[in-house]
Amino acid sequence: MSDKKESAEVTRIRHTRNFGVIAHIDAGKTTFSERVLYITGKSHKIGEVHDGGATMDYMQEERERGITITSAATSCDWGKYKMSLIDTPGHVDFTVEVERSLRVLDGAVGVFCAVAGVQPQSETVWRQGNRYKVPRIAFVNKMDRTGADFYKAVESMKTRLGANAVPVVMPIGKEKDFIGLVDLIEMRACIWADNDAREMTVSDIPDELKEEAAKQREIMIEAVAECHDDVLEKFIEGEEVTNDEIKMAIRKGTLDLKVTPVFCGSAFKDKGVQNVLDAIIDFLPSPLDVPPIVGINPETDESVTYALRSDQPFASLVFKTISDPNGDLTFIRIYSGEMKQGERYYNGRTRRYERVGRLMRMHAEQREPMDIAKAGDIVAVVGVKDAITGDTLSTRDNPVVYEAMTFPDTVISMAIEPQSAGDRDKLSSIIGKMVREDPTFKAVTDEQTGQMVISGMGELHLEVKCNTIKNEHKIGVSVGRPKVAYKMTLKGPKSVEARHIKQSGGSGQFAVARVNFSVRDDVEFCEFVDKIKGGSVPREYIPAVGNGITSAVKGGGRMGFPFCKVVAELYDGQSHDVDSSVMAFEAAGVLAFRKASEGNSLLLEPIMKIEVEAPEDKTGDVIGDLSSRRGVIEEMVTKPGGISYVTGKVPLSEMFQYSTMLRSLTQGRGTYSMEPASYEAVPPNIAEKVLEDLSKD
């Protein structure tokens, strides 16, 4: 590749920004995304969430409910920069959409409500961002609402998220008098026009704010100087730090995940969105600023790293699939090389080829055809048959597999069946497609009853799936009562001896395993520890004991609920020269766990973290109702405007139909959000009832 061509390619990638919008439900993500599209000229009218006209919320369910359910990808231009934006859901039931979007994005904008500050789902998406090491900037939205407090919101980011949140703007006015902001880098005031906030007047800082602005600028410089050695040296020496140097330090701090620059505005009124667009260019990474992703060659198990260039071997990650009547859509992030329409690419997981029928850049549900996509692009393709979320597409000559994504366990399930027997096969086919496109949606057929059981992340998740089957696929379905995904653990430590000895003519089966079982909170399912000394169990049989114990732990015993937090130490055993085998020791492992769990089991239930927003005069009723649901109230805060926020923990099993009850208690003015917190022991009297109900089923 010539230097001239290479520099053009580098320039193209440097002028690319792939970012997502993440936040708690109702913080204003989709409204912010709509304003970005409008201000950049991608949309010629503003789509509003509240009247069902949002471009990014294109599903019927999203428009009816006024929430984002599936992440929507779009692209737009800001100056000479090309942006790919993914608007993600805020509801915990659809957390998979945030997870897979953050896996392929280079940066993110976290949106926070100026009144509520950091909310439960904000914490969840922030943790996901930390896990994938995604640089972020923050936008404090709804600054014109009663009770808005910019600095309190920033403080909540520091205390609840552990983020080094650094304001780079200062609001001018508050609540209904919020009219503009001070840019602390350029030290100028940005005042919005009353009739059109896209019209912004840049002027000197008003005299009454100059002192406070100088103080806030000093705090900002002190916070970001540590991110860049040259700037820190000048700051310590007391020399003047230039605006370009401040930007350089903020950019480095943001990319190194040491700083989160904070902006503010009101997306609904178009206020402050332009400043964030400039910040996305200035502070968020281009694909070149992100470390190259490391993969494994599936043939040799060697590490593979490709530079982010079109002349490198092709490698890309599938991060989302959508079933569509016009051809299933597969969303792909290209990490190296080029993807061409009509070509075949190799899937390292299935060891098969996938053909790219059509290649497109997406704008929510609209499609813009492309002939070729290059390193750094996020695109959608039609024609891919077997690839699922987390698969890597590469070439047969240079195969690579990138690390797949991990998704949380489902917490709720219910039976589903078609109202017409003739629709059974059609329903199975549709649910099969839904399982393929959503890794947190599961379906199994109960061997005893023949019923299909679907599982998901919450009541809303399953409700949306059922409505999609009814409304989009026109299949009438009947659903059973939702059931909670309970787990089991051992009550306490127990030592067992498992003897699997069978003799029936010819070679028999002989295996003796002595195992110490205990419980440890940081173990997800089961941890197997080899403590054999002196060869009482031959080395080739030790893994078989572990496999037997692990399969018994996950199988869940008599009740069918999987066990967790189990530690199994194999410390002794016996074998026979002729009759011992891998199969015999595996059976001994199964028997060992069965003996350890008999009379020593504890039922665990999912506990949810909950936050309820309700009018102050209804707070007593809300707290009383949560207490009756075995909830534990942790905090109650009343904000200006007469709104109270109640946070606490409550068992999921007690929260079915809670939205209906909350509407009734608060005359329709209350809202709530929940997210999984932990698994805890079910009180004995309730555990008895759960097991009794299960035996009836």
Side-chain angles (χ1 to χ4, degrees), residues 417-420 423 427 469-470 473-478:
E417 55 185 37
Q419 289 171 351
S420 159
D423 284 337
L427 177 64
I469 292 167
K470 290 176 195 169
H473 300 286
K474 310 298 180 202
I475 297 178
V477 290
S478 302

Side-chain angles (χ1 to χ4, degrees), residues 612-629 633 636 644 646 658 661-670:
V612 183
E613 182 182 332
E616 192 179 356
D617 58 336
K618 303 292 180 187
T619 310
D621 295 339
V622 168
I623 290 174
D625 179 64
L626 284 175
S627 299
S628 73
R629 296 169 184 267
I633 307 304
M636 191 200 89
S644 289
V646 178
Y658 181 66
M661 175 58 80
L662 184 63
R663 277 199 296 271
S664 160
L665 288 174
T666 61
Q667 296 166 337
R669 292 154 65 204

Side-chain angles (χ1 to χ4, degrees), residues 366-394:
Q366 295 164 12
R367 307 168 182 194
E368 184 186 309
M370 304 170 70
D371 293 323
I372 188 166
K374 299 186 176 184
D377 285 345
I378 290 178
V379 294
V381 301
V382 174
V384 170
K385 295 275 186 259
D386 299 320
I388 57 170
T389 297
D391 280 359
T392 307
L393 296 184
S394 55

